[in-house]
Amino acid sequence: MMNPSLEKRHQALREAETKAEFLFATIEEKGIIRSGVTEKDINKEIYELAFQLFGIKKYWHKRIVRAGRNTLFPYRENPPNLTVAPEDIVFLDFGPIFEDWEADLGRTYVLGNDPVKQKLRDDIEKAWDEGKAYFLSKPDITSSELFAYMCERAKAYGWEYGGPHAGHLIGEFPHEIIQGEDIVNYIHPDNHKPMREPDHNGRPRDWILEVHFIDREREIGGFVEKLLTVE
């Protein structure tokens, strides 16, 4: 039987992600991801939509809209603002806060019918599912093991892994202050700590799994992230 406090925590994280998923579904429904506007334009429209839907003004990390060659860049980079092209690939990475609980959702969109971009979009979703299955199959898995597995999946699908890590902790805002910015809080190649171990205060840790596959020659990337440890 799950600890009642852990169940309450997981319920809060589930609810936050469900609301973030509704936000993303509404973004699609309203056609906000479109050509002829800049990344910053889309970012502003999504911010306004999130406020209309949920009254959200607070995000626990910078809001990311990346298009075209900017999809090569991982989170830490701040590439120049691009205008979305008619046949572009675009990804979103938003971390809204719902009632002091963090969500972190990433998704990739393809405008037009480019088969390579569509394959990339579909491959990252499949690789995310495979990453979760791998995580569930190994009770003592470390962050470095899962990172290595995600890099293997990138290669298997014909891509390169694009980021320095494959995810991070998620929790009650502000988890980054509570947990810190140490490598042990990331699905990182140098983090050999078992992912299911509690934090230094004995509290449970929950994870986001990220997938960022890229093709440097074509200058495209795809990104997806979702809750890993909460069903």
Side-chain angles (χ1 to χ4, degrees):
M1 180 178 291
M2 184 178 288
N3 181 299
S5 62
L6 182 59
E7 175 57 35
K8 185 177 180 182
R9 171 190 175 87
H10 282 186
Q11 181 179 348
L13 287 170
R14 277 194 299 269
E15 288 175 356
E17 179 158 274
T18 297
K19 289 175 181 176
E21 287 171 342
F22 181 77
L23 170 63
F24 275 47
T26 309
I27 290 166
E28 290 189 62
E29 180 185 309
K30 291 184 175 294
I32 290 174
I33 311 298
R34 66 199 188 280
S35 63
V37 296
T38 69
E39 295 164 330
K40 285 185 177 178
D41 291 335
I42 292 172
N43 202 325
K44 184 173 182 290
E45 289 182 38
I46 293 173
Y47 177 84
E48 291 170 352
L49 177 63
F51 181 72
Q52 291 169 13
L53 292 175
F54 299 109
I56 298 170
K57 288 187 174 179
K58 190 163 58 174
Y59 293 77
W60 70 271
H61 69 65
K62 66 182 179 182
R63 306 186 310 275
I64 289 178
V65 178
R66 298 235 164 110
R69 63 181 178 275
N70 281 353
T71 58
L72 291 173
F73 293 103
Y75 170 84
R76 296 287 179 193
E77 301 295 327
N78 294 294
N81 186 33
L82 293 181
T83 298
V84 180
E87 299 286 316
D88 240 336
I89 189 165
V90 180
F91 75 68
L92 309 180
D93 178 4
F94 277 66
I97 299 165
F98 299 95
E99 298 175 5
D100 290 328
W101 287 92
E102 300 163 347
D104 201 5
L105 203 62
R107 194 160 292 167
T108 295
Y109 305 86
V110 175
L111 305 180
N113 300 302
D114 186 313
V116 176
K117 292 171 183 172
Q118 290 176 340
K119 178 181 184 299
L120 175 54
R121 177 199 60 200
D122 296 344
D123 286 350
I124 57 175
E125 291 285 351
K126 287 184 281 189
W128 193 96
D129 289 339
E130 290 163 349
K132 179 161 186 175
Y134 187 72
F135 171 81
L136 292 174
S137 74
K138 297 177 72 70
D140 299 319
I141 191 171
T142 65
S143 290
S144 55
E145 285 180 86
L146 184 53
F147 179 82
Y149 180 77
M150 299 317 297
C151 291
E152 289 170 9
R153 299 319 301 151
K155 187 175 180 180
Y157 283 111
W159 310 102
E160 177 186 343
Y161 197 83
H165 63 79
H168 52 79
L169 292 179
I170 192 80
E172 196 167 5
F173 180 76
H175 90 265
E176 287 186 313
I177 293 175
I178 295 169
Q179 302 285 5
E181 279 287 332
D182 294 339
I183 281 175
V184 294
N185 300 320
Y186 290 86
I187 303 173
H188 190 279
D190 296 329
N191 180 10
H192 307 298
K193 183 175 180 177
M195 294 177 68
R196 290 179 175 86
E197 279 191 5
D199 68 16
H200 56 277
N201 292 314
R203 293 174 296 207
R205 299 192 301 164
D206 287 296
W207 296 91
I208 288 284
L209 176 62
E210 298 180 5
V211 180
H212 185 200
F213 291 175
I214 64 172
D215 185 320
R216 294 187 191 276
E217 185 178 341
R218 291 187 174 93
E219 294 189 315
I220 58 172
F223 179 82
V224 62
E225 67 176 338
K226 295 179 271 188
L227 269 171
L228 174 66
T229 48
V230 180
E231 293 297 330

